[in-house]
Amino acid sequence: MLAGIMPDTITIRRPDDWHLHLRDGAMLRAVLPHTARQFARAIVMPNLVPSVTDIASAVAYRERILAALPAGAEFTPLMTCYLTDATDPAEVERGFRTDVFAAVKLYPAKATTNSAAGVTDIARTMPVLERMAAIGMPLLIHGEVTDPAIDIFDREAVFIERTLAPLHRSLPELKIVLEHATTGDAVDFVRSAGPSVAATITAHHLVINRNAIFAGGLRPHLYCLPVAKRETHRLALRRAATSGSDKFFLGTDSAPHPIHDKESACGCAGIFTAPAALEIYAQVFDEENALDRFETFASLAGPRFYGLPPNEATVTLRRASWRVPERIAAEPGPVMPFLGGEEVAWRIE
Ligand code: DOR
Ligand code: ZN
């Protein structure tokens, strides 16, 4: 594409969402169609209650997802294994070799929603991580320290320094995705690390900085973990996402919670971007004059990292504004989408 020419449509291979919360039961049925409309595949997070820690529970969850798909939808869920101190390397390898597990997810214990069963000390998981490095299986990391003495806005940068950099040094061949990168520190680390390290970037972290959470009052629907950071970090994320580098790819971290759990004295973390995710990313790439790199970020870099073929089908987006719904009906209560009630400048044809 020539610089200065603003196309009104863009056609790319069908994208995938490399980080997604689908939940279960009635909530799964309410949110899944929004993702399946836009994405061919998604890496499905295992933080259910109880969490998805073995092959049997992942197979059962995958079946519930497939059963919840609208008729005619073409969507493949890629399952993940929730890492605990007690995870068996043989189970992880068997799940990977039988195409049940696409990856393993590491939540530091108590870092976020449903992470109580997460890892208390990464040293305890080294036998699993060594096995994964040997078989080429990706480790997906929620990169925040849980030390309450560390300022919440510093928890990602401190995790990189204390845990992620040493892990990458000791197992440089282990494929790692630093999920939902929120800082310039994360961008710098991923760029300077070897080819085994990549990051996903959410739509909301490209759009909001931490001021948005406090704009005119407390905005619980803009609260997620890792929490949005200051403006310099948002700009670093925009540069990384639109750089054309294979190391950064699309992962929405769409994380629905009923409105009554968000608008509460102790509101849940999570932003529900699924209803307009691809369109919001397209708007960001347009704003950055980088629509020519949108396909790399949304549809090519992720499959390349995971060793999967890119999708054959295509999707066309048109510059045409539409209003994101204010509410999505769900049980046990409706969910508020990110940018609900606001206009988005691109639309899927
Ligand atoms: O904001 C978040 N919500 N961050 C996470 O890491 C988990 C997610 C959820 O499951 O709600
Ligand atoms: Zn997540």
Side-chain angles (χ1 to χ4, degrees), residues 65-66 71 89 144 158 185 327:
I65 296 167
L66 293 173
E144 289 191 287
V158 174
D185 310 71
R327 268 167 182 48

Side-chain angles (χ1 to χ4, degrees), residues 17 20 29 48 62 73-74 78 88-89 127 130 136 138 155 166 181 204 206 216 219 299 322 339:
D17 183 349
L20 176 66
R29 287 190 290 278
L48 304 180
R62 182 166 65 186
E74 289 192 23
L78 303 173
D88 175 6
E130 283 162 7
R155 286 182 191 169
H204 49 279
L206 294 171
R219 306 281 182 167
S299 315
W322 61 290
L339 303 185

Side-chain angles (χ1 to χ4, degrees), residues 232-252:
T232 50
H233 295 296
R234 186 182 74 100
L235 296 178
L237 296 174
R238 284 192 161 226
R239 283 193 298 275
T242 60
S243 66
S245 162
D246 266 359
K247 284 177 153 264
F248 301 98
F249 44 83
L250 188 159
T252 63

